[in-house]
Amino acid sequence: MTKILVANRGEIAVRVMRTCRDMGIATVAVFSDADASAPHVAAADEAIHIGASQSGESYLSISKLLDAAQRAGADAIHPGYGFLSENGAFAEACGKAGLTFIGPRPQTIRAMGAKKEAKAIAQRAGVAVVPGYDGTDQSVAAFSAKANEIGFPVLLKASAGGGGKGMRIVRAPGELASAFEGAKREAQNAFGDDTLILEKYIERPRHVEIQILGDEHDNLVHLFERECSIQRRHQKIIEESPSPALDADLRYRMGRAAVDVARAIDYSSAGTVEFILAPDGKFYFLEVNTRLQVEHPVTELITGLDLVREQIRIARGETLGYGQQDLKQSGAAMECRLCAEDPDQSFMPAIGTVLAYQEPQSPGVRVDSGIAIGSVVGIHYDSMLAKIVTHGATRDEARERMERALRELVVLGVPTNRAYLLRVLANEEFRAGNIHTHFLQDTKLDALPTDTTAAIVACVLASTQERERARTVLPQIPSGYRNNFALGQHTAFVVGEGEHAVRYRCLGADAYSIEVDGKAQIAKRISLTNSLLTYEIDGHRKSVSVVADGERYFLRDGVNDIVLNEKPRFPDATSSEVKGACIAPMPGKVATVHVVNGQRIEKGAQLVVLEAMKMEHVVTASHAGTVRDVRVQAGTQVHAHEVLIVIDE
Ligand code: ADP
Ligand code: ADP
Ligand code: MG
């Protein structure tokens, strides 16, 4: 194997290439229109453009990927995770084209692709599965009878599912029929297969998974567990190993169960057996992910193994060269997924341009990232930007390092969950390890203190320097300088819901009198380089990261990321509001329209389902009324703030 094409993008493509380089293997990146200047392209020895931004035209196109591999003369393909990584047809097509697919055999991927079949295999291997129904009778009557038998609550799942899509919790018999229809529709839309399965819904469970590794010579080991209970929208955002819930005995039994399942399908390459762990200590098989998992770095940090290297070695036909007894869990590791999203608005994906970016760098901290300054985070791909992974002797140490790393990390220009992750890490129950898969839903996290006035002062100091730099006429006169000192500059900043009146004037020598909401202070700008502003008030020095994008300022005050909008002095005449308009909160594609013209609706009624970055967002009515103007239909691409539907009161 001399040249590997990485059929992926973002952080995972960069990460796979890093190991290839370690092993002296050349790398080929592929990229779509949107990714022409993405970091994964620069990280490769060569790169091939494969098509338009939509995944279907590029990263999900088997023929384009194979064509690229041939053009570049690659002899193997690494699929990363997501996209085609669990696509049996892709693995098979690689083989037919004479390329080594770095992953399990096609038949293994297929066998584990349907939850239904996977559960049957696990059961035959003697591993407990969640009680439920996975029969061929897909009628609501059959599901209802079975639900009554096993008892509520139950969970409906798409058999072909992934990423938490097509799942519905049903708490009472009366809710089953409508949940059934919804799950079928979502499964059909997302996976082209509406087969459902039913499971007993386990209350307050943990998600604990076991990493497995097998070679082509019957050697099979597990690399211990990962605790992945911190989830939003059924998707993990913090993972760790070891799990605070496992003792040596449970670890032994779960590890053995995972290896039993893997053995039953003669598993080779890296994979993950997912379990749900009930509060009573019983664990049940969920599914096998036949690929490298997003959270694989925590396992790498506690075992010292490079999982991508192991995948490549296995694909080359080498033997593992170690057995279960050679593997040890050393210390504790934690991973946080940095996502472009707004935690305050049900984690809605966010877009933007990365204007400032600085990774934490120090021992015990690893950053796997797919972004750089200038990266455009658009609507076409997953919202995960980077992963911060820390290692320590104990869980506390790994967590403390994570807190520091997240405080040091600067990402401005795109809203992220960075501060939200810090709030989770600060929570007492999280610190104690008392977590479950509904932890984020059920827990009220403390807000981190933020000083809006200080943020505004920083924005004024940054903007005045920018203006001085930008000005060519009389550059020696500072911005905000007036012959008449009494006047000063008037402006206003909008932060969240609040608007703050601001007046400032230059006192010379980088010092400004800045009045926020009627309270004045004198601040002196010390320096502003690489988005880092240092300033002084009364001999007290502070540094903050701040960038401006037109009227918008992005600022990080150590913990929080704050967005401030300077109020335009001349309001934009084109953005006049349409009365009764329901607008798109983000750019995306309309998946479903739930209402028709003339329909009476209540406040909160579901109007439109939008899809962006693989997430669905439901736009609801802000007021009751009659639908007057439906401006979109399924399939329409919309901009943020575009009017979708108009409702007469
Ligand atoms: P895990 O998060 O446990 O590794 P998931 O099934 O949630 O497993 O998916 C793994 C990752 O793969 C997701 O975080 C996402 O980034 C990516 N992914 C999942 N499905 C797709 C898809 N259809 N297209 C592109 N990426 C996907
Ligand atoms: P996906 O293919 O979407 O990853 P999984 O079957 O792995 O689907 O389940 C995803 C998540 O849903 C789990 O991590 C867990 O939080 C929750 N979950 C799945 N099955 C159950 C169950 N029977 N009871 C309670 N929670 C469940
Ligand atoms: Mg899963």
Side-chain angles (χ1 to χ4, degrees):
M1 213 180 273
T2 56
K3 198 188 257 192
I4 294 178
L5 179 138
V6 183
N8 216 299
R9 65 179 302 282
E11 67 87 17
I12 194 61
V14 176
R15 186 261 167 274
V16 169
M17 291 172 197
R18 196 184 305 139
T19 293
C20 293
R21 198 163 314 118
D22 279 353
M23 299 175 79
I25 300 171
T27 55
V28 184
V30 289
F31 64 98
S32 67
D33 289 349
D35 279 339
S37 43
H40 82 271
V41 176
D45 295 316
E46 56 192 295
I48 294 192
H49 175 250
I50 50 168
S53 304
Q54 284 125 306
S55 315
E57 305 284 310
S58 45
Y59 301 107
L60 285 174
S61 167
I62 294 179
S63 60
K64 287 183 173 171
L65 291 165
L66 294 181
D67 189 47
Q70 200 181 18
R71 272 178 62 194
D75 43 24
I77 291 195
H78 194 297
Y81 56 70
F83 293 129
L84 294 170
S85 60
E86 291 184 281
N87 187 308
F90 181 51
E92 198 169 271
C94 288
K96 288 211 176 107
L99 297 159
T100 305
F101 177 81
I102 301 171
R105 289 180 285 274
Q107 59 270 34
T108 309
I109 298 176
R110 289 207 174 95
M112 292 293 125
K115 292 193 197 304
K116 197 173 143 167
E117 196 182 333
K119 283 180 79 171
I121 290 169
Q123 236 167 339
R124 284 202 296 276
V127 175
V129 302
V130 190
Y133 172 71
D134 56 13
T136 43
D137 184 351
Q138 290 280 311
S139 70
V140 72
F143 275 72
S144 165
K146 202 66 197 179
N148 283 322
E149 194 182 309
I150 61 174
F152 288 86
V154 294
L155 186 65
L156 293 170
K157 277 189 192 179
S159 181
K165 272 200 174 175
M167 268 199 301
R168 293 276 196 290
I169 301 171
V170 186
R171 298 209 167 263
E175 297 167 7
L176 190 104
S178 81
F180 184 80
E181 293 311 318
K184 278 236 177 244
R185 202 173 43 236
E186 208 169 296
Q188 181 64 41
N189 283 342
F191 313 109
D193 174 353
D194 72 353
T195 310
L196 296 186
I197 63 171
L198 179 85
E199 280 180 5
K200 172 91 190 147
Y201 181 71
I202 315 278
E203 299 275 11
R204 295 173 79 86
R206 287 172 186 257
H207 174 117
V208 177
E209 59 187 32
I210 306 283
Q211 175 72 51
I212 52 170
L213 213 49
D215 65 18
E216 303 277 357
H217 313 277
D218 288 338
N219 299 303
L220 200 53
V221 295
H222 71 81
L223 303 182
F224 313 102
E225 80 278 11
R226 289 186 293 258
E227 158 90 55
C228 310
S229 300
I230 301 295
Q231 309 181 343
R232 52 106 179 86
R233 295 175 176 255
H234 299 292
Q235 281 189 336
K236 308 154 183 173
I237 54 168
I238 301 181
E239 302 98 340
E240 58 182 303
S241 189
S243 162
L246 266 54
D247 58 17
D249 174 58
L250 187 51
R251 178 168 298 118
Y252 173 78
R253 287 186 291 121
M254 291 186 79
R256 207 182 52 185
V259 170
D260 286 346
V261 173
R263 178 105 36 220
I265 47 174
D266 197 15
Y267 201 91
S268 82
S269 192
T272 296
V273 184
E274 295 190 328
F275 294 98
I276 193 136
L277 175 63
D280 64 5
K282 292 207 177 83
F283 62 88
Y284 308 92
F285 170 88
L286 273 184
E287 63 169 345
V288 177
N289 291 325
T290 52
R291 55 170 162 85
L292 194 66
Q293 200 101 332
V294 172
E295 57 275 21
H296 75 278
V298 296
T299 301
E300 296 187 322
L301 293 186
I302 60 148
T303 60
L305 283 170
D306 175 336
L307 287 179
V308 174
R309 171 187 281 266
E310 296 309 295
Q311 284 185 305
I312 292 173
R313 288 207 311 112
I314 292 164
R316 288 199 299 216
E318 294 174 30
T319 54
L320 286 184
Y322 43 82
Q324 194 66 53
Q325 67 289 346
D326 301 316
L327 297 164
K328 300 240 150 24
Q329 267 177 315
S330 129
M334 202 174 268
E335 170 182 283
C336 283
R337 300 190 190 191
L338 181 77
C339 299
E341 64 188 20
D342 185 350
D344 294 331
Q345 284 190 56
S346 40
F347 304 97
M348 199 193 300
I351 57 163
T353 302
V354 178
L355 300 172
Y357 182 63
Q358 187 150 19
E359 296 177 355
Q361 263 156 359
S362 50
V365 179
R366 162 174 164 182
V367 182
D368 284 11
S369 165
I371 55 162
I373 290 177
S375 291
V376 175
V377 180
I379 60 165
H380 295 289
Y381 313 112
D382 194 78
S383 58
M384 198 180 77
L385 306 178
K387 305 181 308 208
I388 320 300
V389 202
T390 59
H391 188 234
T394 61
R395 182 176 190 262
D396 278 338
E397 193 173 83
R399 194 206 72 237
E400 284 162 5
R401 283 197 164 139
M402 182 63 80
E403 290 198 51
R404 180 178 51 73
L406 287 173
R407 279 168 194 268
E408 283 174 14
L409 171 71
V410 180
V411 195
L412 295 176
V414 184
T416 71
N417 62 344
R418 189 191 64 87
Y420 179 83
L421 291 164
L422 277 167
R423 292 166 62 191
V424 179
L425 296 176
N427 179 273
E428 284 305 321
E429 293 298 320
F430 177 83
R431 288 182 179 217
N434 297 329
I435 51 178
H436 53 89
T437 58
H438 280 231
F439 180 80
L440 295 182
Q441 251 166 290
D442 296 355
T443 309
K444 197 178 163 328
L445 300 171
D446 293 330
L448 304 169
T450 213
D451 184 344
T452 307
T453 303
I456 292 171
V457 166
C459 287
V460 169
L461 293 174
S463 72
T464 45
Q465 166 150 334
E466 289 307 318
R467 267 171 225 158
E468 274 160 40
R469 277 192 190 149
R471 200 171 39 187
T472 50
V473 185
L474 299 177
Q476 69 277 19
I477 297 184
S479 176
Y481 185 90
R482 292 288 179 277
N483 281 338
N484 181 347
F485 275 117
L487 279 175
Q489 299 275 5
H490 287 260
T491 184
F493 281 88
V494 179
V495 186
E497 306 279 276
E499 183 176 327
H500 305 270
V502 176
R503 221 154 61 129
Y504 64 89
R505 66 193 159 89
C506 182
L507 308 174
D510 293 334
Y512 289 78
S513 165
I514 305 172
E515 190 186 290
V516 180
D517 296 325
K519 201 170 153 278
Q521 50 196 324
I522 290 169
K524 186 173 161 54
R525 186 174 55 232
I526 306 298
S527 64
L528 174 58
T529 34
N530 294 333
S531 315
L532 187 72
L533 169 78
T534 301
Y535 66 99
E536 201 175 282
I537 294 176
D538 271 346
H540 186 167
R541 258 183 206 203
K542 270 186 88 174
S543 290
V544 296
S545 296
V546 58
V547 286
D549 179 15
E551 246 84 54
R552 249 169 123 201
Y553 293 81
F554 299 89
L555 178 138
R556 210 219 37 183
D557 68 357
V559 260
N560 287 297
D561 293 312
I562 310 168
V563 181
L564 305 95
N565 284 292
E566 188 168 0
K567 254 195 137 174
R569 270 157 287 199
F570 311 102
D572 189 352
T574 56
S575 66
S576 62
E577 272 182 29
V578 179
K579 203 169 166 294
C582 295
I583 57 161
M586 60 178 183
K589 195 175 92 179
V590 175
T592 331
V593 178
H594 284 300
V595 294
V596 292
N597 277 333
Q599 189 176 336
R600 270 298 302 169
I601 48 154
E602 294 307 313
K603 180 176 175 196
Q606 300 199 351
L607 302 174
V608 167
V609 180
L610 277 182
E611 240 177 38
M613 297 164 114
K614 301 203 327 298
M615 294 226 205
E616 288 193 349
H617 179 78
V618 183
V619 180
T620 55
S622 55
H623 55 275
T626 305
V627 177
R628 179 161 60 81
D629 188 4
V630 178
R631 299 191 180 183
V632 292
Q633 60 190 45
T636 312
Q637 293 279 352
V638 297
H639 308 291
H641 311 304
E642 185 168 330
V643 176
L644 303 172
I645 282 175
V646 183
I647 300 164
D648 280 341
E649 302 218 14

